[in-house]
């Protein structure tokens, strides 16, 4: 019998394995060049070796043949990841592990070869970090289930899922798809590479998949695929995006039974921890999934998501922020477009006209603060077309900026059209462009 692993692998029936010689495919020059383009386009911070994206080609192109040989012979040892802590939108912090640029390149090359092999085996209800799938697809699938009558949600929260992945369980699941033991050995070394803190001390990693590397999303999906298959075997309607998942049922009692059984499955089979304080069963309209909820069959952004949007806009329009109006409006445009690209699928229109009015008033207030002197303010308003009387009244007024921003003088000078020419976007028009594209009106 030919043992599994290494070159020239055969299946038990004597036929060649489709995942034999994976390492050669990973290190193929064409695959590596594509991987480098992806890593370079993603930019990112340097790892523990402090080598930046710009410095990498000059530093590592001369020694790449030696690195490639070390990978082929199984001698390559990945560097520890750099520990970075970032705040979470919902509160608390999330720990990221930033690999070196070299390790990001190798991981990206591995992911490009493994994804076409493993991804087709995943569940149709899994949407996170997969080609041609998105969070919007997961939310719309929930909407379909709600319209079909499944209006109760089981919302189970996995506590620090990425940090608690069991390496042995993960490697056993990878071995179902990969026959080349050299690739499995290399992935195992990445899992155990360790984490370097801000002082340079390296902590060993016996569990967990560091967030921040190109390979981590695929490994997480491999680990949680057993959960998807178990839910499918039981006939549940569900959607999952990375470690966020929601199960749709028809009644509170059945939801509580499902939550108990799935908690046992995750704890015993996958060695993951369910946060019981955040896990609950409730009507779909009272649950959030990826920042959205479904109310009466319609997708809506959650109230916390909309409050955070308004809070960020308020920060960008703070009159105490000492930047030019061009820079201020540029930051706002980038943030507003990004927010609407994600949350624009919400079918909730009502608050947008009022939000636009509030935003224009705050921008007028910023202009009023920047103009500073009475003569400057009056001159600007008159040149912009405001009646002379009202321009002078505003210029001489000692009332607060917020009050002046809503007077006839400032509104007739700094009109909505003029603000748009300066670069102020309308949230309402961005939403309309998502739901009613110009080519379909």
């Amino acid at each position: 019998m030919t043992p599994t692993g290494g070159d020239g692998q055969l299946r038990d029936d004597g036929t060649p394995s489709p995942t034999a010689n994976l390492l050669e495919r990973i290190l193929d020059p064409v695959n590596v060049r594509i991987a480098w383009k992806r890593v370079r386009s993603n930019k990112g911070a340097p790892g523990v070796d402090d080598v930046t994206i710009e410095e990498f080609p000059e530093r590592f192109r001369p020694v790449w043949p030696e690195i490639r040989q070390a990978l082929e012979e199984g001698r390559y040892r990945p560097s520890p990841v750099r520990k970075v802590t970032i705040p979470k939108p919902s509160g608390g912090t999330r720990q990221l592990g930033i690999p070196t640029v070299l390790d990001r390149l190798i991981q990206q090359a591995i992911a490009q070869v493994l994804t076409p092999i493993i991804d087709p085996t995943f569940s149709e209800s899994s949407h996170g970090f997969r080609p041609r799938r998105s969070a919007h697809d997961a939310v719309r699938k929930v909407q379909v289930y709600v319209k079909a009558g499944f209006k109760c949600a089981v919302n189970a929260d996995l506590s620090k899922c990425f940090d608690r992945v069991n390496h042995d369980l993960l490697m056993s699941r990878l071995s179902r798809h990969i026959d080349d033991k050299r690739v499995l050995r290399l992935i195992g070394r990445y899992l155990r590479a360790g984490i370097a803190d801000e002082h340079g001390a390296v902590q060993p990693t016996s569990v967990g998949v560091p967030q921040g590397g190109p390979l981590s999303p695929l490994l997480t999906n491999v680990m949680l695929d057993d959960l998807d298959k178990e839910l499918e075997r039981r006939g549940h309607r569900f959607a999952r995006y990375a470690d966020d998942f929601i199960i749709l049922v028809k009644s509170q009692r059945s939801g509580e039974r499902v939550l108990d059984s799935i908690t046992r499955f995750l704890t015993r089979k996958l060695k993951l921890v369910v946060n019981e304080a955040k896990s609950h069963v409730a009507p779909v309209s009272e649950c959030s999934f990826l920042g959205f909820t479904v109310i009466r069959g319609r997708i809506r952004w959650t109230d916390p998501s909309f409050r955070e949007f308004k809070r960020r806009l308020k920060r960008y329009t703070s009159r105490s922020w000492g930047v030019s109006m061009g820079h201020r409006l540029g930051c706002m445009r980038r943030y507003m477009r990004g927010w609407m690209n994600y949350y624009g699928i919400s079918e909730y229109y009502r608050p947008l006209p009022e939000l636009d009015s509030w935003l224009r008033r705050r921008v007028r207030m910023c202009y009023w603060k920047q103009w500073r002197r009475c003569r400057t303010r009056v001159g600007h308003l008159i040149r912009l077309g405001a009646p002379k009387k009202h321009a002078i009244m505003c210029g001489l007024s000692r009332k607060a900026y917020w009050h002046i921003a809503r007077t006839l003088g400032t509104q007739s000078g700094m009109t909505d059209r003029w603000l748009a020419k300066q670069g102020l976007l309308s949230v309402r028009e961005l939403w309309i462009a998502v739901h009613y594209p110009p080519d379909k009106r």
Side-chain angles (χ1 to χ4, degrees):
M1 294 179 63
T2 302
T4 59
D7 297 334
Q9 296 160 332
L10 301 176
R11 288 174 167 173
D12 292 339
D13 58 3
T15 60
S17 168
T19 59
N21 303 321
L22 275 183
L23 188 59
E24 283 71 24
R25 293 163 59 185
I26 290 169
L27 298 178
D28 181 88
V30 175
N31 185 57
V32 173
R33 278 197 295 270
I34 296 172
W36 167 241
K37 290 179 181 179
R38 292 289 301 274
V39 171
R40 184 177 57 190
S41 65
N42 291 335
K43 299 181 180 179
V48 293
D49 59 359
D50 292 324
V51 176
T52 64
I53 292 287
E54 294 75 18
E55 299 169 343
F56 179 79
E58 183 179 352
R59 291 275 298 272
F60 284 90
R61 186 178 285 119
V63 297
W64 174 249
E66 299 174 17
I67 297 171
R68 178 190 175 97
Q69 185 176 359
L71 287 164
E72 291 173 338
E73 296 175 357
R75 296 183 288 105
Y76 181 78
R77 293 292 187 273
S79 301
V81 297
R82 170 175 280 175
K83 179 181 177 181
V84 177
T85 303
I86 61 172
K88 296 170 66 174
S90 57
T93 59
R94 174 181 285 113
Q95 181 176 299
L96 298 183
I98 308 300
T100 62
V101 179
L102 174 61
D103 285 327
R104 292 210 292 272
L105 173 64
I106 298 171
Q107 287 191 34
Q108 180 63 40
I110 296 172
Q112 288 173 180
V113 172
L114 293 188
T115 297
I117 296 171
I118 302 177
D119 187 82
T121 68
F122 290 152
S123 166
E124 285 297 313
S125 296
S126 170
H127 300 273
F129 311 116
R130 297 184 62 190
R132 296 176 295 280
R133 291 172 180 265
S134 67
H136 292 172
D137 297 327
V139 174
R140 290 191 177 104
K141 175 159 278 193
V142 171
Q143 182 186 34
V144 170
Y145 292 148
V146 171
K147 289 182 176 179
F150 296 85
K151 298 184 179 181
C152 201
V154 179
N155 208 335
D157 182 81
L158 291 175
S159 178
K160 298 182 178 180
C161 174
F162 286 84
D163 299 335
R164 289 181 168 142
V165 170
N166 185 284
H167 289 175
D168 292 336
L169 292 178
L170 173 58
M171 295 306 296
S172 70
R173 281 149 181 77
L174 278 173
S175 65
R176 300 172 185 171
H177 307 281
I178 303 171
D179 292 326
D180 193 331
K181 289 188 176 180
R182 298 169 300 170
V183 176
L184 290 173
R185 190 181 303 115
L186 179 59
I187 294 174
R189 286 176 179 170
Y190 273 115
L191 293 174
R192 299 186 299 273
I195 299 176
D197 60 22
E198 58 273 14
H199 304 294
V202 178
Q203 304 170 355
T205 49
S206 57
V207 294
V209 176
Q211 298 183 63
L215 195 55
S216 300
L218 178 63
L219 297 182
T220 304
N221 276 335
V222 169
M223 187 66 184
L224 292 177
D225 187 54
D226 277 16
L227 170 64
D228 299 338
K229 296 300 193 294
E230 178 67 15
L231 292 173
E232 287 179 342
R233 186 185 66 79
R234 299 182 185 187
H236 291 311
R237 277 76 173 174
F238 72 99
R240 182 177 68 82
Y241 189 92
D243 59 337
D244 291 325
F245 68 97
I246 189 170
I247 307 169
L248 284 303
V249 293
K250 289 191 173 181
S251 69
Q252 182 78 17
R253 287 186 62 186
S254 62
E256 291 172 356
R257 289 196 301 270
V258 169
L259 179 59
D260 289 341
S261 62
I262 290 301
T263 299
R264 288 195 299 271
F265 175 83
L266 289 167
T267 304
R268 296 175 183 176
K269 299 292 185 180
L270 301 184
K271 310 298 182 185
L272 297 174
V273 178
V274 177
N275 189 335
E276 296 184 1
K278 293 184 178 180
S279 301
H280 61 283
V281 180
V284 177
S285 58
E286 299 176 12
C287 295
S288 66
F289 179 58
L290 302 177
F292 295 94
T293 187
V294 180
I295 299 178
R296 293 186 291 276
R298 298 172 71 87
I299 298 173
R300 283 178 55 167
W301 49 61
T302 60
D303 290 338
S305 301
F306 192 71
R307 283 197 299 269
E308 174 62 16
F309 178 52
K310 192 170 181 179
R311 186 193 69 80
R312 287 283 297 273
L313 291 178
K314 188 173 183 179
R315 193 182 76 181
Y316 284 133
T317 54
S318 170
R319 65 176 187 267
S320 61
W321 189 24
V323 297
S324 68
M325 290 303 298
H327 178 77
R328 184 193 302 270
L329 293 173
C331 292
M332 291 172 62
R333 284 195 300 272
R334 288 189 292 272
Y335 176 66
M336 291 167 69
R337 286 195 177 106
W339 193 89
M340 192 55 69
N341 284 341
Y342 182 75
Y343 288 100
I345 65 168
S346 170
E347 299 167 292
Y348 188 41
Y349 169 82
R350 182 178 296 177
L352 300 186
E354 182 180 350
L355 178 64
D356 268 345
S357 177
W358 171 83
L359 189 58
R360 286 191 294 265
R361 185 176 177 183
R362 289 193 63 83
V363 172
R364 290 188 183 104
M365 176 186 70
C366 293
Y367 273 110
W368 197 250
K369 172 73 181 293
Q370 285 207 345
W371 290 342
R372 298 179 68 85
R373 297 179 181 277
C374 172
R375 181 176 299 177
T376 305
R377 291 168 173 173
V378 174
H380 276 302
L381 290 181
I382 292 175
R383 281 192 293 274
L384 290 173
K388 187 174 181 179
K389 175 183 176 182
H390 292 287
I392 293 173
M393 289 175 61
C394 287
L396 295 175
S397 175
R398 290 182 174 271
K399 292 185 177 178
Y401 298 104
W402 182 243
H403 176 87
I404 293 295
R406 203 180 182 185
T407 59
L408 179 60
T410 54
Q411 289 186 328
S412 58
M414 293 179 278
T415 61
D416 297 355
R417 181 177 297 180
W418 181 81
L419 291 175
K421 287 183 178 179
Q422 307 312 303
L424 178 62
L425 297 180
S426 164
V427 182
R428 172 181 173 272
E429 291 179 2
L430 290 173
W431 186 90
I432 290 174
V434 172
H435 290 267
Y436 307 99
D439 56 338
K440 295 184 180 180
R441 294 180 190 174

